Amino acid sequence: MTYLYSIGEYFIMLKGVFGRMTKGSVLRNLIFKEINELIMGSMGIVSFLSFFIGAVVAIQTALNLNNPLIPKSLVAFAARQSIILEFAPTFISIIMAGKVGSFITSSIGSMRVTEQIDALEVMGINSKNYLIFPKIMAMLTYPFVIAISMFLGIAGAYTAAVFGGFVTSDQFLTGLQDDFIGFHLVYAFIKTILFAFILATVPSYHGYFMKGGALEVGEASTTSFVWTSVVLIITNYVITQLLLS
Amino acid sequence: MIQVKNLHKGFNGQEVLKGIDYQFERGKTNLIIGQSGSGKSVFLKCMLGLFKPDQGAIEYDGKPYSNFSDEEQRELRTEIGMLFQGGALFDSMTVEENVMFPLRMFTNQKRGEMRDRVHEVLKRVNLEGNDTKMPSEISGGMQKRVAIARAIVNKPKYLFCDEPNSGLDPQTATIIDNLIQQLTHENEITTVVITHDMNSVLEIGERIAFLKDGLLAWKGTKEDIFHTQDKTVTDFVYSSNLFKKVREAQLKGH
């Protein structure tokens, strides 16, 4: 029953988010601020992880290809498929649930604890719109992060596979282009947009409706990470089933 | 003027406010006092529209809040200034941005005009030269004064203060009390202050409502409170030794 209540509360919150709008000029500044904090602030860790995970995927694939009948170009093919289909959109989103999600929950939760949200409401401001809508808008730029993650993942795979002596550059580039299906990219970006919405709203829900003090802000951040990850994984399964099977 | 009629409010089957009738007068500091758990904060939140009353009415200048359309409610809220117990300053904004916030949200003034108004109110609360500081860089008393500046910057008709002196030293508390009273008189604001600080009662208690167990147990002025024989009030008020001594001195004619 508690879960049903929370799900209902989440959708009522969403209705409020798209309810009475905050003044345009104020909203515009807030969106740019959120893009800076949520998106630009995550580029470092996303780039770092993408490059090295791409490299590891390439090395592990190369080390497991012992059969001489299997072409070496398969290393690049396997790296491309795993990076585009799962690693960049899903794995990076789980990382973002920890980084961006916790930040969103703790910042909104702190505002709840220190009565800043009450202050907004007393002033006649739709606090859900003021706080959550700019985050959703900022997260619409999330596909760019994932595109960069895909590029760096493949760059990492190339670096490890070619400079590690597993394949030649030509073999890698051939494998990279083998059986490329454009729809896989479409699938990956549809997932990414849905994940962006989840990353902005589920942590916001946990922050907005938290009760208590500083300790509870920490607890809410942890709970938020767990639930955001769960929702991401379930959504990933449903979307994959719908679009690829 | 704010008129409260037969106000009831409960949570999970437990009644917190049990039928309060009271009138908050314009241009006066109206104090609500009472023990912790007596329903003061719930009373305030009902008046602010953060809680919906179970029964009864709250009238702003003769018009019941429940009859207000959404647009009228929003308009009314722009006429309300609120000083929260902890200040509730936006910690991602500077002092100037905090005070300017209501102007940015509800007026179409140019930035220069807004800045002039912000500096005017910051000067009024003796905080000139602190515009660029963050809330975390100023003291608790200064934060309260910034919060007062933010509450009055849009020239409100109603000012609500939730325990404005909590956590402040006596000297700063007196400054805050006097500031609230002066602003109330200067701007003819209907001010409602929740407190259990007896010094505030002495300083600014022009009209006092004493709540006990969700009921209005007593009402009067700071002069009346010295002479009342009502035991519920005297038990609360004279739990403070200072207040006991002040009363003895008054009765002796000093």
Side-chain angles (χ1 to χ4, degrees):
Chain A
M1 280 305 283
T2 316
Y3 294 137
L4 280 178
Y5 179 84
S6 296
I7 291 167
E9 201 173 40
Y10 169 77
F11 283 106
I12 291 169
M13 179 197 82
L14 289 184
K15 191 176 164 226
V17 169
F18 295 100
R20 186 162 33 88
M21 284 298 200
T22 305
K23 201 174 168 185
S25 57
V26 176
L27 214 46
R28 194 179 55 233
N29 290 341
L30 288 172
I31 291 169
F32 283 124
K33 186 171 157 275
E34 297 292 357
I35 289 175
N36 187 40
E37 283 174 354
L38 304 181
I39 300 294
M40 301 312 289
S42 307
M43 287 310 297
I45 184 76
V46 168
S47 303
F48 178 79
L49 287 172
S50 301
F51 187 86
F52 284 100
I53 297 281
V56 169
V57 167
I59 293 169
Q60 288 193 350
T61 311
L63 291 175
N64 284 287
L65 288 180
N66 298 320
N67 193 330
L69 294 175
I70 298 174
K72 291 283 184 189
S73 60
L74 194 69
V75 172
F77 174 83
R80 183 197 74 201
Q81 288 302 90
S82 54
I83 287 167
I84 288 179
L85 291 175
E86 282 308 316
F87 165 70
T90 312
F91 185 77
I92 289 294
S93 294
I94 301 282
I95 302 290
M96 290 288 271
K99 190 191 179 293
V100 169
S102 299
F103 172 73
I104 291 175
T105 304
S106 57
S107 60
I108 297 181
S110 303
M111 288 185 75
R112 169 65 72 197
V113 170
T114 55
E115 297 180 307
Q116 292 175 49
I117 294 179
D118 287 341
L120 289 169
E121 288 291 332
V122 168
M123 286 181 209
I125 295 162
N126 177 359
S127 60
K128 294 186 188 88
N129 179 265
Y130 179 85
L131 294 171
I132 304 169
F133 185 76
K135 291 177 174 47
I136 296 173
M137 289 295 109
M139 288 304 281
L140 285 180
T141 60
Y142 184 54
F144 291 107
V145 176
I146 296 306
I148 289 168
S149 165
M150 286 174 181
F151 174 78
L152 288 172
I154 290 170
Y158 178 89
T159 308
V162 175
F163 296 106
F166 297 106
V167 292
T168 65
S169 180
D170 282 347
Q171 282 172 327
F172 190 92
L173 293 174
T174 305
L176 200 59
Q177 293 167 65
D178 266 356
D179 293 327
F180 178 73
I181 300 166
F183 183 71
H184 283 176
L185 269 182
V186 175
Y187 154 79
F189 282 111
I190 290 174
K191 270 205 311 196
T192 302
I193 290 168
L194 280 171
F195 289 170
F197 188 78
I198 292 164
L199 284 170
T201 55
V202 175
S204 294
Y205 166 78
H206 284 280
Y208 192 87
F209 289 103
M210 68 142 296
K211 291 184 178 76
L215 182 66
E216 284 76 10
V217 173
E219 281 173 8
S221 297
T222 312
T223 313
S224 153
F225 171 67
V226 171
W227 278 107
T228 308
S229 306
V230 168
V231 176
L232 285 173
I233 296 295
I234 292 171
T235 308
N236 187 34
Y237 168 74
V238 173
I239 290 293
T240 307
Q241 186 73 30
L242 286 174
L243 296 181
L244 290 189
S245 65
Chain B
M1 187 183 77
I2 305 168
Q3 179 92 42
V4 178
K5 292 179 178 171
N6 192 30
L7 186 67
H8 287 259
K9 178 69 189 170
F11 299 94
N12 303 324
Q14 195 183 346
E15 210 173 17
V16 178
L17 301 179
K18 301 170 182 169
I20 294 179
D21 291 278
Y22 194 67
Q23 184 172 306
F24 297 94
E25 289 188 8
R26 195 175 167 197
K28 290 207 159 62
T29 44
N30 301 272
L31 268 58
I32 304 172
I33 60 170
Q35 289 171 319
S36 299
S38 59
K40 304 187 296 292
S41 293
V42 174
F43 188 19
L44 186 77
K45 287 188 173 176
C46 284
M47 282 195 283
L48 288 167
L50 294 176
F51 289 155
K52 195 176 174 190
D54 297 335
Q55 200 185 317
I58 297 158
E59 294 179 0
Y60 283 84
D61 289 330
K63 192 169 179 194
Y65 184 79
S66 55
N67 290 358
F68 279 34
S69 65
D70 284 355
E71 192 53 45
E72 284 173 322
Q73 279 188 21
R74 276 198 291 280
E75 201 135 304
L76 173 71
R77 287 185 177 203
T78 63
E79 294 176 340
I80 289 176
M82 172 77 200
L83 174 59
F84 284 89
Q85 194 172 351
L89 296 178
F90 302 119
D91 41 25
S92 59
M93 298 181 192
T94 63
V95 165
E96 184 185 70
E97 287 166 344
N98 261 289
V99 180
M100 198 185 280
F101 188 77
L103 298 176
R104 280 176 61 212
M105 296 303 290
F106 303 115
T107 70
N108 292 316
Q109 290 177 23
K110 289 186 180 140
R111 196 162 179 86
E113 290 173 303
M114 287 194 278
R115 282 197 131 159
D116 289 345
R117 175 67 185 150
V118 168
H119 290 157
E120 189 184 323
V121 288
L122 282 177
K123 191 176 172 189
R124 182 65 194 80
V125 298
N126 294 320
L127 275 177
E128 299 145 291
N130 291 286
D131 322 18
T132 55
K133 287 185 179 160
M134 300 302 285
S136 56
E137 294 170 342
I138 56 178
S139 69
M142 287 163 93
Q143 286 183 13
K144 284 276 166 71
R145 281 187 281 157
V146 176
I148 293 175
R150 184 178 69 183
I152 62 165
V153 73
N154 214 7
K155 299 180 178 167
K157 283 168 74 176
Y158 314 97
L159 178 63
F160 294 89
C161 308
D162 187 6
E163 300 193 18
N165 295 333
S166 67
L168 299 180
D169 63 87
Q171 199 175 5
T172 312
T174 307
I175 292 168
I176 298 287
D177 278 339
N178 290 335
L179 187 59
I180 291 170
Q181 188 166 46
Q182 284 160 16
L183 292 167
T184 301
H185 292 162
E186 281 167 21
N187 304 301
E188 280 285 295
I189 302 172
T190 306
T191 298
V192 179
V193 180
I194 284 195
T195 187
H196 36 223
D197 181 356
M198 284 303 123
N199 291 328
S200 292
V201 173
L202 275 174
E203 290 281 344
I204 60 170
E206 291 177 296
R207 284 178 51 82
I208 303 162
F210 176 70
L211 290 195
K212 188 170 167 61
D213 301 329
L215 287 164
L216 181 66
W218 181 87
K219 60 183 177 181
T221 64
K222 65 180 175 188
E223 288 79 22
D224 298 337
I225 213 163
F226 285 113
H227 303 105
T228 183
Q229 299 302 316
D230 190 321
K231 198 173 175 317
T232 48
V233 183
T234 52
D235 283 353
F236 175 74
V237 172
Y238 300 122
S239 56
S240 156
N241 279 334
L242 173 70
F243 214 63
K244 210 181 281 179
K245 283 175 184 160
V246 171
R247 189 197 192 206
E248 282 163 9
Q250 281 233 341
L251 292 176
K252 283 177 189 167
H254 294 305

